[in-house]
Amino acid sequence: MNLNLTEEQDLLRTTFAELFASESSSDRVRAAEPLGYDPALWKTLVETEVVGMRVPEAQGGTGASLHDAMLVAEEAGRHLASAPVIEAIVASHLISGIASPAAQDALPGILSGSSLVSFALFPGGESQLVPAGAVADAVVGLVGDELVWVEKGRDVKPAENLGSSPLARWSLASDGVREVLASGDEAVRAWSAAREEWKLLMAAAIGGLARRALEIAAEYASERIQFDRPIGAFQGLAHPLAHSVAAVEGGQLLAKRAVWAIARGRSDAAELVSMAFAWAAESATLAVARSLHTFGGYGLAMEYDIQLYYRRAKAWALAAGDPREELQRVAERHWEPESDVALPDAGEVTLEFGLGERAEAFRLSARQFFEENLTSELRAAARYDWDGHHPGFHRQLAAAGLAFASWPEQYGGQGRDPYEMTALGQEFHRAGWSTHPIGTTRIIGETLLHFASDALKQEVITRVCAGEAVISMGYSEPGSGSDVAAAQTRAVREGDEWVINGQKMFTSGANKAQYVFLLTRTDPEAKKHRGLTMFLVPLDSPGIEIQAIHTVGDERTNATYYSDVRAPDSWRVGEVNGGWAVLAHALELEHGGGGLGAFYDEHLEVVEQAAVWARKALRDGRPAFEDPRVRERLAYALMRAEVAQSLGLRSLWSGVEGVANQGEGPMTKLFGAESFIADSADLLDLAAPDSLLDAIESDAAGSGAIELAYRLSAGTSVYAGTSEIMRSIIAQVALGMPRSRS
Ligand SMILES: Cc1cc2nc3c(=O)[nH]c(=O)nc-3n(C[C@H](O)[C@H](O)[C@H](O)COP(=O)(O)OP(=O)(O)OC[C@H]3O[C@@H](n4cnc5c(N)ncnc54)[C@H](O)[C@@H]3O)c2cc1C
C-alpha cells in the first residue's frame, strides 16, 4: 500500500494551499459574492497553468495526473475559491483529447486564459444551468451524439443562487456560435469520461470544504465558554463533529481509491467513482450542518464564515442534480457490471490501495489450505464467534503458518507483515472460519512482545505459535467497562507471588482459552491510572470460575471470578503499577490501530445477501431489484461499507508507516460499527417480512444473513471500545477539541 504524496505532489498541494490562503481569504470570497467569481484570483490561477494541468505536455499543458488535480480541487474547496477551477480543468482536458482541428485550435486560447471554457453537465440541447456558465466565454457539452462547443453569443445572465456560484442558463442547441468538436461514440465517451472526472474533482473539493468547516467549528467550540466550560467539552457537540470527520475523511479516501482503481484498470473503478461522489455530497451536507449548529445563533449570522461553507457544500455538488441519483449508477455499475462506463485517464498514479504481491501470494496459499483441509464436518461446526474455536483445526492452522504468522521466527512465527495478515484474515472470513480466537490472541501477543519478560515470551508466545494456546482479555468488570481504568480486581503481593481476587465481565473466550490477560489494581491509594498492573494468568489456575453469558448476537461471552488466585511474579507483564501503558498499547490495537477492527467483510456480506434476495423476491410481479428504491438502498449500504473499508485500509497503512496517530483506528472502528448497524437494520426493513426468518428456514431472505447481521451488528458499537469513547478520542486527536469523556 502507499497513500503517501510524492514530493512533487506535496509541493503542489502546499503551493495551492498557500495561494488560496492568500488569494481566497474570507474577505475575498465575500467580495466576490453574489456572482461567485474573483477575476484577480482567476488571473493568478491561470498564471499557475492550473487550467491545463490535465492537458498533455505536448499540447501545451502540464500533463498532471487525476490525483494531482484532486489535490488542487481539495484546496480550492477548503478555501471556497471563487473561481471555476474544476470546470476549466475538465473542459480543457476533454478538448485536448479530441483530435478535430476545431478542438485543437481552441486549446491555446483556453490555456492562455483568453477564453474561459466551462463544461455542461447534462446531455441534450435544452436549456440547462451550467456551472461557471455566468463567466464562461464558451461551453462544451453533449447534444445527441455530438460534442459541441458553444460560444457566448448573447447576454448570458447570472442566475442568483444558494451558493453564490456563477451559474447561468445555456442552451447548447441555440445559444451563440456553435461548432461540433466530435461526433458518434468518440463524442459520447469523451463527454461521459469528462463528467466522471468532474464528479471526482467535485468530491475532492467538497471533501476539502467539509473538512475545513469541521475545523472551524472545532476551533470555535474550543474557545466559546458556556456553563463555565468550553462548549467542545460537551459530547452533544463534540460527538457529531467527530462522526462527521470520520465520514468526510472516509469519503476523501474513497475518492482516492477510485483514482487508484481507474489507474490500475480495475473492474470496480466506475462504481467507486459514483460512490465517492454520492458520499462526498452526503457527508459534506451533514458536516456543514453540524458545523453551523456548533455556532448556535452566531452560525446563522451572515458575518460568520460558517454560512459560506453551509451554502456551498450543497450548491457546488448539486450543480449535477440530485446526488442520490448517483446511487442508481452505483447499483448498475456494481450489480450489472456489463455496462461499459467511459472513465477519464488517471495519468501516473503512485497511490496504492492493494495489499501487494506478497500478501496476494499468502492469500492464495491460505485459500488453498482451507479448500483442502476444511472438511464438511468442520464447516458444519463452524461459528463466527469464540465458540468457533476448534483446538484440532487451530493446531493445523498453526502448523501451516496460518495463525500467528506475523510474529518473529524465534518464537515459531514467520515475521509476516500486516498486509499479509490482513489478506489472511480475509481468507478466514471467506472460508467462514472464526477469526475471534486468533484476532484476540494476536492483539495480546503483540502486546506481550512489547512488554513481557523474555522468559514469559519464550514460554507463552512459543506455545501460542505452535497452536497450543489462545488468550482471552480480562479488562471489563461489573463496575467498569468504558472506564476500564477504574478496575477493582485486586492483586496483592505476597513474597514472589500475587494473590488475585475479583470479578471480570465479558471475558470472551475464557471457556476456550488457556490464558487470560488480566487487568488488576495493585495500588488502591494511587490515582486511577497509576495503580494498575497487568498479568497473564493461566485459566486452569485454582480459584478461577467461568460462567457463560449468552448474547442477542448468539455470541457467548463469560463472567469470570477470581478467588485467591495465586500468580507468580513472572506472570506479570510490564511494571508494577505501570499497567496502564501496557493496556493502552493493547487497546490501541483493539480500537482499529494497525488495521484491525473494521467489520467490512460482515457488512459487505449482508449487502450482497440482500441483493441476492432482491433478485429473487417479487414485488408487483417483478424482481424487487428492478425497483429503483430497492436499488438505492442496496447501493447506499454498499457505499457505506466501502467508506468503512477505505478508512480501514488507511488505518492499516498508517500503522505500517508509523504515521502519527490522528484517530485513524477509532475512525475505522466508529464508522465501521455504526454503518454496519444502520445498514443491517435498513436491509432488514427492505427485505421484510422474509428477512425476519432464521437461517434454518429455507425461505429466509439472504439465507438468514440479514436477520443475523441485525443481531450481531449490535455488539460492534460496544465491544473493543464503545462508539461514544471512539467519538471522544476522534474529537480530541483529529479535531483538537477538549477532552469530553471525563
Ligand atoms: C459481545 C461482547 C464481547 C466482549 N468481550 C470482552 C472481552 O473479551 N474482554 C473484556 O474485557 N471486555 C469485553 N467486552 C466488554 C466491552 O468492552 C464493554 O461492554 C464496553 O467497554 C462497555 O462497557 P460496559 O458494558 O460496562 O458499558 P458502560 O461503560 O457502562 O457504558 C454504558 C453506556 O454508556 C456510555 N458511556 C460510558 N462512558 C461514557 C462517557 N464517558 N461518555 C459517553 N458515554 C459513555 C457507553 O458508550 C455505553 O453506551 C465485551 C462486550 C460484549 C458486548
Side-chain angles (χ1 to χ4, degrees):
M1 283 191 71
N2 177 21
L3 305 188
N4 280 315
L5 298 183
T6 63
E7 264 179 46
E8 292 78 23
Q9 287 179 318
D10 210 24
L11 183 64
L12 179 79
R13 197 189 55 72
T14 320
T15 304
F16 278 90
E18 287 170 1
L19 185 154
F20 287 122
S22 85
E23 301 296 319
S24 185
S25 61
S26 154
D27 286 348
R28 291 274 293 270
V29 171
R30 287 167 179 276
E33 290 196 325
L35 179 60
Y37 177 63
D38 180 336
L41 170 62
W42 183 242
K43 186 166 177 287
T44 309
L45 285 170
V46 170
E47 283 162 10
T48 66
E49 302 186 340
V50 72
V51 175
M53 72 181 296
R54 295 278 287 138
V55 174
E57 286 181 63
Q59 291 169 272
T62 52
S65 71
L66 185 50
H67 186 203
D68 296 340
M70 280 168 63
L71 296 173
V72 175
E74 192 173 320
E75 291 304 326
R78 280 182 70 82
H79 296 90
L80 307 180
S82 308
V85 184
I86 294 176
E87 289 74 27
I89 292 175
V90 169
S92 66
H93 185 212
L94 165 62
I95 290 168
S96 71
I98 303 296
S100 70
Q104 294 305 314
D105 290 350
L107 205 51
I110 299 172
L111 300 186
S112 71
S114 62
S115 171
L116 198 167
V117 182
S118 189
F119 177 70
L121 289 161
F122 298 96
E126 301 82 37
S127 165
Q128 61 174 293
L129 285 171
V130 175
V135 294
D137 301 303
V139 167
V140 272
L142 189 74
V143 179
D145 68 351
E146 289 181 340
L147 185 71
V148 296
W149 158 282
V150 180
E151 289 181 11
K152 187 161 81 175
R154 62 177 171 90
D155 190 17
V156 175
K157 286 200 183 53
E160 288 217 19
N161 61 83
L162 172 70
S164 299
S165 310
L167 285 175
R169 285 200 183 278
W170 284 64
S171 166
L172 303 189
S174 56
D175 285 348
V177 179
R178 208 165 163 277
E179 284 253 27
V180 175
L181 302 182
S183 57
D185 199 40
E186 182 200 4
V188 175
R189 289 188 69 79
W191 178 84
S192 304
R195 193 170 57 167
E196 300 300 307
E197 180 161 344
W198 183 90
K199 282 187 219 163
L200 272 177
L201 297 187
M202 184 50 74
I206 53 177
L209 178 159
R211 186 63 172 81
R212 181 69 196 128
L214 291 164
E215 290 162 21
I216 293 171
E219 284 159 19
Y220 181 79
S222 303
E223 285 164 11
R224 169 80 172 164
I225 307 288
Q226 289 291 283
F227 300 98
D228 306 322
R229 297 165 73 183
I231 55 171
F234 297 118
Q235 293 184 352
L237 274 191
H239 284 190
L241 295 180
H243 204 118
S244 271
V245 166
V248 167
E249 292 194 3
Q252 290 175 307
L253 289 159
L254 190 60
K256 287 182 184 165
R257 258 176 86 201
V259 172
W260 160 75
I262 296 173
R264 302 288 181 276
R266 288 174 56 95
S267 59
D268 57 356
E271 65 189 83
L272 288 173
V273 174
S274 284
M275 288 187 219
F277 179 64
W279 184 251
E282 167 148 341
S283 57
T285 296
L286 201 51
V288 293
R290 287 168 166 171
S291 300
L292 184 132
H293 183 78
T294 302
F295 284 78
Y298 300 97
L300 304 168
M302 294 305 276
E303 285 73 17
Y304 278 71
D305 283 349
I306 199 68
Q307 53 85 14
L308 300 171
Y309 289 81
Y310 181 73
R311 291 186 290 126
R312 283 164 180 76
K314 275 288 186 206
W316 287 8
L318 267 51
D322 180 359
R324 283 251 161 185
E325 279 297 308
E326 200 63 33
L327 291 173
Q328 297 299 331
R329 290 191 194 97
V330 171
E332 188 182 316
R333 292 172 181 192
H334 182 75
W335 284 291
E336 289 161 354
E338 56 281 359
S339 48
D340 175 21
V341 181
L343 294 168
D345 68 286
E348 204 178 310
V349 171
T350 55
L351 283 172
E352 182 55 66
F353 282 85
L355 297 177
E357 278 178 23
R358 275 209 317 266
E360 293 312 321
F362 192 39
R363 177 197 301 287
L364 289 184
S365 65
R367 189 171 296 180
Q368 192 180 350
F369 176 87
F370 277 116
E371 277 163 12
E372 288 171 0
N373 295 285
L374 203 59
T375 60
S376 48
E377 292 78 35
L378 285 167
R379 278 182 203 279
R383 285 187 49 87
Y384 49 83
D385 64 353
W386 260 97
D387 273 3
H389 182 58
H390 184 290
F393 190 63
H394 181 77
R395 268 193 296 275
Q396 260 181 280
L397 283 164
L402 298 176
F404 303 101
S406 57
W407 292 350
E409 288 175 20
Q410 71 181 104
Y411 301 112
Q414 301 161 37
R416 292 201 181 262
D417 66 35
Y419 301 132
E420 292 174 290
M421 296 308 286
T422 299
L424 177 62
Q426 289 169 340
E427 287 309 306
F428 268 66
H429 192 270
R430 188 172 188 273
W433 197 249
S434 174
T435 53
H436 280 56
I438 289 179
T440 310
T441 305
R442 256 185 78 198
I443 289 174
I444 299 165
E446 275 158 33
T447 309
L448 295 181
L449 285 168
H450 267 79
F451 294 98
S453 67
D454 287 344
L456 193 66
K457 281 193 279 202
Q458 197 57 49
E459 180 190 332
V460 176
I461 300 284
T462 310
R463 200 175 159 210
V464 168
C465 266
E468 299 298 335
V470 284
I471 312 176
S472 60
M473 286 172 184
Y475 313 153
S476 307
E477 296 187 5
S480 57
S482 302
D483 189 9
V484 64
Q488 293 300 321
T489 292
R490 282 284 275 132
V492 176
R493 191 157 193 161
E494 278 187 14
D496 264 358
E497 281 188 338
W498 294 83
V499 181
I500 301 172
N501 280 287
Q503 183 190 342
K504 294 286 173 185
M505 284 298 289
F506 307 117
T507 317
S508 305
N511 54 320
K512 296 279 178 182
Q514 283 63 43
Y515 299 97
V516 58
F517 191 42
L518 199 68
L519 172 67
T520 68
R521 181 155 303 280
T522 38
D523 185 354
E525 306 305 322
K527 280 194 169 168
K528 199 162 65 174
H529 292 81
R530 302 237 172 99
L532 301 168
T533 304
M534 299 298 302
F535 291 91
L536 190 73
V537 180
L539 275 158
D540 58 3
S541 304
I544 297 182
E545 193 191 328
I546 299 167
Q547 277 180 15
I549 300 173
H550 297 285
T551 69
V552 67
D554 275 352
E555 287 175 283
R556 176 187 164 157
T557 176
N558 306 283
T560 47
Y561 301 87
Y562 304 82
S563 309
D564 290 332
V565 175
R566 301 192 85 82
D569 189 52
S570 57
W571 290 355
R572 175 167 49 82
V573 179
E575 301 297 318
V576 175
N577 296 329
W580 182 248
V582 182
L583 185 63
H585 182 89
L587 290 176
E588 194 175 324
L589 292 172
E590 202 184 353
H591 291 170
L596 303 166
F599 311 101
Y600 174 67
D601 293 320
E602 294 83 350
H603 197 159
L604 195 60
E605 178 161 345
V606 70
V607 178
E608 295 296 0
Q609 287 294 349
V612 169
W613 162 84
R615 285 183 187 282
K616 273 199 273 177
L618 296 181
R619 291 260 167 104
D620 296 330
R622 304 185 67 82
F625 192 75
E626 290 179 14
D627 180 343
R629 289 168 305 172
V630 171
R631 293 160 75 95
E632 180 180 321
R633 282 162 76 178
L634 289 169
Y636 188 79
L638 176 70
M639 173 177 73
R640 289 210 291 197
E642 293 302 340
V643 174
Q645 170 71 338
S646 306
L647 286 164
L649 286 167
R650 179 183 64 170
S651 179
L652 173 65
W653 173 80
S654 308
V656 174
E657 296 286 308
V659 174
N661 176 12
Q662 292 293 306
E664 294 87 354
M667 286 191 209
T668 304
K669 166 74 169 64
L670 170 70
F671 193 88
E674 292 295 325
S675 54
F676 180 34
I677 292 169
D679 290 334
S680 299
D682 189 55
L683 296 174
L684 192 81
D685 291 355
L686 183 70
D690 297 345
S691 58
L692 300 173
L693 303 187
D694 192 278
I696 55 169
E697 303 294 336
S698 61
D699 50 351
S703 307
I706 309 172
E707 187 269 343
L708 176 62
Y710 176 68
R711 289 185 288 120
L712 192 61
S713 61
T716 61
S717 67
V718 176
Y719 53 69
T722 69
S723 288
E724 284 68 34
I725 301 304
M726 296 302 114
R727 291 188 185 102
S728 279
I729 295 173
I730 295 164
Q732 237 180 306
V733 298
L735 285 173
M737 294 180 76
R739 192 177 167 90
S740 65
R741 61 187 175 284
S742 61

